[in-house]
Amino acid sequence: MRLSRYFLPVLKETPAEAQIASHRLMLRAGMIRQASAGIYSWLPLGFKVLRRLEDIVHEEQIRAGHIPMLMPTLQSADLWRESGRYDDYGQEMLRITDRHNRDMLYGPTNEELITDIFRSTVNSYKELPKTLYHIQWKFRDEIRPRFGVMRGREFYMKDGYSFDIDEASAIHAYNRHMVSYLRTYERMGLQAIPMKADTGPIGGDYSHEFLVLADTGESEVFYDRSVTDLSLGDRSVDFDNVAECQAIVDEFTAPYARTDETHDEALFEAEVPADRRKSARGIEVGQIFYFGTKYSEALGAEVVMPDGSRKPVEMGSHGIGVSRLVGALIEANHDENGIIWPEGVTPFRVGIVNLRQGDTDTDAACDKLYADLTAAGLDPLYDDREERAGAKFATMDLIGLPWRITVGPRGLKEGKVELTSRRTGESELLTPADALARCADIYAGL
């Protein structure tokens, strides 16, 4: 993409309503614009990041054996009355009456709808296990939406639902999700710590939240410092292997890590040496639940067993806040000049800055570099505007591309361009071919 043709409405001044870094920077970098309180339009740069995250989520869900689908945003209130949650959910649920006076709602989650789909299509234990998921817009009518996409009313979420024949199988589904989530967050360049959590309106008695440590987090968290040393890295995982998945879950949940809702100070002090006890703020970016037969019993989701009897299936639900992750990533990756995207989620892999637009040799070198990077699948953003160099550098710093190639007449006289890391600020002079090869190596395997 050439910046002269792109839609990137950056702001020089910080909007007064933006209270945290991610909100400020998403507005300034032209990623989002507010449509109404807690509801945002995702402009091209923000939408591109959102799609990067969505692709990673899909890839890791499918790797774990989960099946994608898509459910509607509007649901019948009758299903929620059947489960008993319609009146319990509170004012966060947006309730609607259609032209035929049927009660509808804008779904905040999909346990009822997916259970209805399951009960009408699956009859035998032989068809289990199944895990279905989708990524879709949700709505919760927050009383005080704030912090941009971190606490908006409309949000983009992956929610998945597992159906199993017994508790042991359901726990494996839970573990499979935990491992797949750990992989997902690591690929995004985030460390999301699984913490024992309250189940809230979803229900059940077994749940973990995934939290990214950040000063602007809405939750107070307490944890053993050793948990921050854990990483899956590049290890391969067999998601069908019950023992292997359980071992990874044990590894990541053995150190004490809890939100303030489930924190036990006496246990914390008994289990964790004083020099490893930490408290901080955390941003929730996902949560998994095992709730047994809560919904299957209420909605009659049963399967026929070998002896002819009928049994309600064991269920769990598992969510990742895709749009919220954009904010969390920025909270964890920014400086005074702007965003610093991890390589796995950056909207463009490489930025090209032409220091002398209109100069025949510089234009030709930039055009060739742009074509070569594009051919290599490195998705460059070429700043070909008639702007001073300082303005171009400021834009690149603000939007946070991890790598920048600067091309100017002085360097070209020696056959060199400048490759700069956004995160470290370090630069080196390379031939255009070597700069291309370096970028290709950086992004190999991502």
Side-chain angles (χ1 to χ4, degrees), residues 68-365:
M69 59 178 296
L70 183 62
M71 289 176 276
T73 55
L74 295 182
Q75 302 178 34
S76 168
D78 290 342
L79 281 174
W80 285 66
R81 290 191 177 105
E82 199 175 344
S83 73
R85 283 208 300 174
Y86 185 69
D87 294 320
D88 293 344
Y89 209 88
Q91 292 184 321
E92 286 188 355
M93 181 187 289
L94 182 62
R95 294 166 171 84
I96 305 164
T97 302
D98 69 12
R99 66 193 301 167
H100 301 291
N101 289 320
R102 290 176 296 219
D103 291 332
M104 309 289 289
L105 58 96
Y106 193 133
T109 183
N110 285 72
E111 282 80 9
E112 283 81 2
L113 187 54
I114 193 67
T115 306
D116 181 54
I117 292 169
F118 180 89
R119 71 181 176 181
S120 65
T121 55
V122 177
N123 188 54
S124 171
Y125 75 97
K126 295 179 181 179
E127 299 175 71
L128 299 179
K130 287 285 186 294
T131 295
L132 304 168
Y133 80 93
H134 71 160
I135 302 176
Q136 177 227 48
W137 291 101
K138 303 287 192 298
F139 189 91
R140 291 176 190 162
D141 201 1
E142 292 274 357
I143 189 170
R144 192 162 63 93
R146 59 194 188 279
F147 304 152
V149 301
M150 296 290 289
R151 183 161 287 190
R153 293 194 294 163
E154 186 180 54
F155 54 97
Y156 203 47
M157 189 173 85
K158 172 262 161 182
D159 46 318
Y161 304 91
S162 54
F163 301 87
D164 289 276
I165 194 61
D166 54 32
E167 182 176 346
S169 300
I171 293 299
H172 175 55
Y174 185 96
N175 291 345
R176 198 170 61 238
H177 277 86
M178 182 176 289
V179 176
S180 71
Y181 280 23
L182 291 170
R183 283 184 56 96
T184 298
Y185 298 128
E186 285 189 17
R187 282 188 59 188
M188 293 175 181
L190 281 173
Q191 181 174 57
I193 302 170
M195 299 194 178
K196 186 175 177 61
D198 183 63
T199 57
I202 300 296
D205 54 9
Y206 195 33
S207 178
H208 282 83
E209 285 180 358
F210 293 81
L211 289 106
V212 174
L213 301 179
D215 292 339
T216 51
E218 70 272 63
S219 301
E220 187 175 13
V221 298
F222 303 84
Y223 63 96
D224 182 334
R225 188 187 64 201
S226 66
V227 75
T228 60
D229 296 327
L230 298 175
S231 171
L232 279 176
D234 58 0
R235 71 177 98 168
S236 178
V237 178
D238 178 0
F239 285 96
D240 291 326
N241 188 317
V242 173
E244 183 178 351
C245 289
Q246 184 66 61
I248 294 172
V249 170
D250 291 344
E251 176 186 353
F252 279 80
T253 60
Y256 188 100
R258 297 193 180 194
T259 62
D260 52 356
E261 294 172 318
T262 60
H263 177 55
D264 183 329
E265 186 65 27
L267 186 64
F268 189 43
E269 293 180 1
E271 286 190 356
V272 184
D275 64 333
R276 297 211 315 252
R277 290 180 211 140
K278 296 290 182 180
S279 64
R281 308 297 298 181
I283 300 169
E284 181 199 340
V285 292
Q287 189 165 5
I288 57 177
F289 303 84
Y290 163 61
F291 42 67
T293 59
K294 174 181 177 178
Y295 295 94
S296 57
E297 286 185 348
L299 295 166
E302 300 175 335
V303 292
V304 177
M305 300 298 288
D307 61 1
S309 64
R310 301 188 66 85
K311 179 180 180 181
V313 293
E314 300 276 337
M315 292 178 58
S317 68
H318 319 278
I320 289 180
V322 181
S323 55
R324 168 177 272 244
L325 270 166
V326 180
L329 277 157
I330 294 171
E331 291 296 328
N333 296 277
H334 71 275
D335 61 17
E336 66 276 8
N337 296 319
I339 303 164
I340 308 172
W341 292 115
E343 279 85 354
V345 299
T346 179
F348 296 93
R349 308 290 200 195
V350 184
I352 304 171
V353 170
N354 186 334
L355 290 181
R356 189 169 295 176
Q357 198 70 40
D359 178 82
T360 302
D361 291 341
T362 309
D363 288 354

